[in-house]
Amino acid sequence: MPSSTSPHTHPNTLPPGDTFDIIPPLHALLARLPGTQAESTGTTTLLPKDLATEAAAIKIKIQKARVAVQVLPDVERSVAEQQAEIGELEERIREQERVLREIAEAGRRRRSA
């Protein structure tokens, strides 16, 4: 059965997992704000005026993560499009299984004849 959509085959191009790991650096940054654990743990307290500068690395990491997601294969496709393709592929599998069963049955008949 021909597919109405083009095949979507791509090599595994997933970015490393730490690309999306922003919680620990964000937590470390927030923990340095006045009124947090920084005062009791001896960590350098971050002055509010320095927050933007210190947050720059996290912002860059978030921007890189966004770019990484945008270049993933098929990210522009809707869920409905992906579900339609899954249905088409499942139908192809059923058809291939049917053909294999017919070939196996023909082989059994030939051996018994």
Side-chain angles (χ1 to χ4, degrees):
M1 169 183 213
S3 173
S4 62
T5 60
S6 62
H8 297 279
T9 57
H10 300 278
N12 187 0
T13 56
L14 294 176
D18 68 342
T19 302
F20 307 103
D21 194 13
I22 63 163
I23 301 299
L26 182 60
H27 179 267
L29 177 67
L30 295 175
R32 292 178 54 206
L33 292 175
T36 61
Q37 67 186 18
E39 295 164 347
S40 63
T41 61
T43 306
T44 307
T45 302
L46 181 64
L47 298 174
K49 69 179 181 81
D50 298 327
L51 182 60
T53 304
E54 295 291 325
I58 298 170
K59 286 179 173 181
I60 290 169
K61 190 166 190 157
I62 292 170
Q63 290 168 348
K64 287 180 180 179
R66 281 186 183 148
V67 169
V69 168
Q70 290 171 347
V71 300
L72 287 174
D74 297 334
V75 76
E76 75 284 350
R77 295 174 62 212
S78 70
V79 172
E81 289 172 317
Q82 293 177 40
Q83 288 173 333
E85 182 182 12
I86 290 169
E88 292 170 3
L89 293 171
E90 289 172 342
E91 180 57 36
R92 268 181 70 191
I93 290 169
R94 284 190 290 275
E95 179 64 19
Q96 290 171 349
E97 288 172 339
R98 183 190 63 75
V99 169
L100 286 173
R101 282 192 302 274
E102 289 175 3
I103 292 170
E105 181 60 32
R108 282 191 289 273
R109 283 194 305 261
R110 187 170 185 214
R111 274 185 273 148
S112 65

